């Protein structure tokens, strides 16, 4: 079985039902899927039967997978103690998030030895930023009934659906008082059924760590996705996640456009404090652009909540044929 007794590893972590024996995990080093804040991600397989505890549709299920394809984030061997601690914290954050269909859920981990692995759901279409950028030069989107999925085509309804699904996942995380802090298209994964999954909890703050604001790794912060108060005062909240969500919607409706292109990072505070915002992207209707700009209101209290974003996006999606 994958579950060992109560062993304490060299990292001081205890085993639990998430812990996988390293020989049960096959990692394909030539199939790199991406790079996260805390390490590179590779394709892999959990060998044999993997009993995976999940919450699905409100109830506890224990699904069993055989040789299940997974994504494995590995801490590089040269990582120092700080990065090691950050990575273990990322794993702990994911352990404390219960199953949600719009989160790239943790499936298992390997933490007892010198190599640390985070094993998560595999998303066949990879990250949303890359998926969108492949379509960047598309001038018109096909109507929903004429989308050729075999050619990887997407339509406006898909863009709305991604936005709505991410707002669903963020509603869940924000009600649990998690602050993601790195919400961006590069951290959204798209699976085979075009489900959007929120990933990369490397900068995520747990409810009990909110006050301390974590340890500011200023060099790793996503400046162009950050709210004005985060840039000025290093404050983070669900309302700063809402700001980032607006920038993420800009990426979606521009098909992978680069936010504030040409504006140096050092100019961003001045730019935003002067009231300037991103302009309406190519595929955003005025309704959609209104949602984005509401996310970028200077006063956090005036920005919508993820609940209201979810409701508004569901409404627009329902009217889109
Ligand atoms: N890139 C980063 N994480 C991934 C995942 N879980 N599935 C597919 N590609 C990824």
């Amino acid at each position: 079985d994958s579950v060992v007794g109560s062993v304490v590893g060299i990292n001081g972590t205890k085993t639990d039902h998430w812990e996988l024996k390293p020989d049960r995990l096959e990692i394909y080093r030539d199939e790199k899927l991406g790079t996260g804040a805390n390490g590179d991600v590779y394709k892999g397989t959990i060998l044999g039967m993997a009993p995976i505890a999940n919450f699905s549709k409100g109830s506890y299920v224990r699904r069993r997978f055989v040789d299940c394809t997974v994504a494995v984030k590995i801490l590089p061997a040269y990582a120092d103690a700080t990065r090691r601690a950050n990575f273990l914290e990322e794993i702990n954050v994911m352990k404390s998030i219960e199953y949600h269909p719009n989160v790239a859920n943790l499936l298992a981990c390997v933490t007892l030895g010198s190599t640390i692995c985070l094993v998560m759901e595999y998303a066949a279409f990879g990250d949303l930023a890359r998926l969108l950028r492949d379509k960047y030069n598309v001038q018109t989107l096909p109507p929903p009934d004429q989308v050729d999925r075999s050619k990887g085509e997407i339509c406006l309804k898909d863009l709305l659906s991604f936005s709505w699904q991410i707002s669903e996942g963020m509603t869940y995380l924000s009600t649990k008082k998690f602050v993601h802090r790195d919400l961006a298209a590069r951290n959204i994964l798209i699976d085979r059924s075009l489900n959007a999954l929120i990933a990369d909890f490397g900068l995520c703050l747990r409810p009990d760590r909110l006050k301390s604001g974590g340890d500011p790794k200023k060099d790793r912060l996503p400046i162009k996705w950050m709210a004005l108060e985060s840039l000025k005062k290093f404050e983070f909240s669900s309302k700063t996640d809402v700001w980032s969500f607006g920038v993420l919607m800009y990426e979606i409706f521009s098909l992978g456009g680069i936010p504030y292109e040409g504006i140096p990072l050092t100019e961003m505070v001045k730019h935003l404090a002067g009231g300037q915002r991103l302009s309406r992207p190519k595929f955003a209707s005025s309704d959609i652009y209104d949602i984005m700009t509401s996310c970028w209101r200077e006063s956090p209290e005036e920005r919508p909540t993820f609940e209201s974003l979810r409701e508004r996006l569901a409404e627009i999606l329902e009217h889109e044929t």
Side-chain angles (χ1 to χ4, degrees), residues 15-39:
T15 52
D16 50 29
H17 71 278
W18 299 104
E19 193 71 30
L20 194 69
K21 281 184 183 159
D23 61 357
R24 297 275 315 279
L25 189 61
E26 196 163 75
I27 301 165
Y28 311 123
R29 293 278 185 171
D30 54 345
E31 289 193 67
K32 189 163 159 179
L33 299 172
T35 305
N38 286 330

Side-chain angles (χ1 to χ4, degrees), residues 6-209:
S6 179
V7 181
V8 179
I10 60 170
N11 302 303
T13 50
K14 265 210 194 132
T15 52
D16 50 29
H17 71 278
W18 299 104
E19 193 71 30
L20 194 69
K21 281 184 183 159
D23 61 357
R24 297 275 315 279
L25 189 61
E26 196 163 75
I27 301 165
Y28 311 123
R29 293 278 185 171
D30 54 345
E31 289 193 67
K32 189 163 159 179
L33 299 172
T35 305
N38 286 330
D40 293 337
V41 182
Y42 299 88
K43 197 169 176 177
T45 301
I46 296 179
L47 297 171
M49 296 281 267
I52 287 158
N54 266 344
F55 280 83
S56 181
K57 298 201 175 94
S59 61
Y60 183 84
V61 291
R62 208 170 162 83
R63 283 191 267 160
R64 278 180 179 272
F65 296 96
V66 178
D67 293 346
C68 142
T69 299
V70 294
V72 187
K73 188 185 276 192
I74 307 168
L75 183 75
Y78 54 79
D80 60 21
T82 313
R83 291 198 60 185
R84 207 173 185 80
N86 283 343
F87 192 52
L88 289 168
E89 172 62 11
E90 180 177 358
I91 292 173
N92 281 332
V93 165
M94 293 187 80
K95 282 181 181 178
S96 62
I97 299 169
E98 288 166 12
Y99 179 86
H100 190 278
N102 299 113
V103 168
N105 294 284
L106 184 73
L107 299 179
C109 61
V110 178
T111 63
L112 300 181
S114 54
T115 306
I116 307 177
C117 300
L118 182 166
V119 185
M120 70 184 130
E121 294 181 305
Y122 172 70
F125 284 131
D127 78 79
L128 180 60
R130 222 177 314 172
L131 185 144
L132 293 168
R133 256 159 229 159
D134 286 346
K135 320 252 175 312
Y136 186 66
N137 292 314
V138 167
Q139 290 308 312
T140 53
L141 292 167
D145 54 345
Q146 283 171 36
V147 183
D148 190 346
R149 296 282 181 213
S150 68
K151 288 190 192 146
E153 283 181 358
I154 53 172
C155 62
L156 187 63
K157 200 166 182 169
D158 294 324
L159 303 184
L160 283 167
S161 171
F162 293 152
S163 309
W164 168 69
Q165 290 183 65
I166 299 162
S167 74
E168 281 279 340
M170 286 309 300
T171 297
Y172 174 75
L173 292 174
S174 61
T175 49
K176 297 255 166 189
K177 301 209 169 358
F178 284 92
V179 180
H180 188 286
R181 296 204 297 175
D182 201 5
L183 199 54
R186 62 182 171 275
N187 291 330
I188 302 298
L189 300 170
I190 305 297
D191 78 5
R192 202 174 34 202
S193 320
L194 294 185
N195 292 316
L197 315 178
I198 299 163
D200 213 315
F201 293 84
L203 294 179
C204 186
L205 294 177
R206 290 198 261 175
D208 52 330
R209 306 278 168 92

